[in-house]
Amino acid sequence: MPISLPIDIEQVKGFLAKDEADALYHYALKQSVKGPVLEIGSYCGKSAIYLGSACKETNSTLYALDHHRGSEEHQLGEEYHDDDLYDHQIGLFDSFKEFRKNIRAADLEQTVIPLVTSSAVAAKNWTTPLAMVFIDGGHSMEAAQTDYQCWAKHIISGGILAIHDLFPNPDEGGQAPITIYRQALASELFEEIEVVNTLGLLRRK
Ligand code: MG
């Protein structure tokens, strides 16, 4: 079934393929009836619009976690730097303004709760069980490990752990996301459902 979004999604900056976006939406639609969904790495809101639209359908909530200061690759002079998202006045990357604008345009302000801080700080006092977690944060090994350690434990039995940017071939991309994916499988707490393009989907046993 085609997904109808109240915004021209092509205008939203981000790195998410169509088949991956569709999978996120459909898994979130099924999962969000059981509890809230949380994503790590919101950037300008592309995946939040898919996940959030699904949560809106089921009257659930998406927590959209991002410090909005950009990952390593977004910094000045790096490969994925976007000058439109750089605040020259304070000399820092800032994707939050763009994120807010897009969430408002998609009419998701009553569904998406932004958590504008780091993964570790947001997780500090977290106790809410989560029906689905989507990890798409920093791609350093340290960042990916922190995201996995902080959030995987909050996923309910039958809940989904989705991890973006899996590259089995190291020549095609960084190895941090696929490392935590393999770690989740090795823990035997999760079982593989499917891999859609570079999006891995696991179910909490
Ligand atoms: Mg990604």
Side-chain angles (χ1 to χ4, degrees):
M1 198 173 66
I3 305 163
S4 88
L5 299 170
I7 184 172
D8 178 8
I9 200 70
E10 300 307 321
Q11 299 305 309
V12 178
K13 294 171 194 278
F15 313 93
L16 190 67
K18 187 74 180 71
D19 53 353
E20 299 169 337
D22 287 354
L24 285 179
Y25 177 86
H26 289 294
Y27 278 96
L29 198 58
K30 272 187 262 171
Q31 289 304 121
S32 57
V33 294
K34 303 176 206 164
V37 176
L38 181 139
E39 73 162 11
I40 302 139
S42 299
Y43 196 54
C44 297
K46 196 164 220 166
S47 54
I49 289 171
Y50 283 94
L51 293 168
S53 296
C55 289
K56 190 178 180 181
E57 285 272 310
T58 62
N59 196 27
S60 187
T61 296
L62 171 70
Y63 295 101
L65 168 58
D66 196 315
H67 47 58
H68 287 287
R69 292 302 185 201
S71 300
E72 303 81 354
E73 67 274 19
H74 300 132
Q75 302 309 317
L76 202 59
E78 297 299 324
E79 189 181 359
Y80 291 97
H81 180 70
D82 181 337
D83 213 51
D84 294 346
L85 301 174
Y86 192 77
D87 186 335
H88 285 272
Q89 223 166 7
I90 56 170
L92 289 171
F93 186 90
D94 184 3
S95 51
F96 186 49
K97 199 175 168 199
E98 186 68 18
F99 172 85
R100 265 192 119 172
K101 186 190 90 183
N102 290 331
I103 293 303
R104 182 177 161 81
D107 196 18
L108 289 171
E109 286 179 305
Q110 306 302 314
T111 305
V112 177
I113 301 178
L115 301 174
V116 186
T117 185
S118 70
S119 198
V121 171
K124 218 185 249 179
N125 295 301
W126 193 272
T127 53
T128 304
L130 298 165
M132 179 170 171
V133 167
F134 173 45
I135 298 183
D136 190 22
H139 284 12
S140 69
M141 197 59 83
E142 191 191 352
Q145 283 295 341
T146 301
D147 292 339
Y148 177 67
Q149 300 299 342
C150 286
W151 299 103
K153 62 188 175 197
H154 294 293
I155 301 171
I156 59 171
S157 174
I160 300 290
L161 173 60
I163 302 175
H164 197 222
D165 300 311
L166 303 185
F167 296 105
N169 178 355
D171 294 340
E172 286 169 20
Q175 294 297 288
I178 202 163
T179 301
I180 58 167
Y181 183 82
R182 288 174 178 149
Q183 216 168 306
L185 277 176
S187 75
E188 296 191 1
L189 295 171
F190 292 90
E191 57 193 3
E192 190 166 50
I193 310 172
E194 60 174 324
V195 178
V196 176
N197 202 343
T198 72
L199 176 72
L201 295 140
L202 301 164
R203 180 174 283 116
R204 177 75 167 89
K205 291 182 190 170

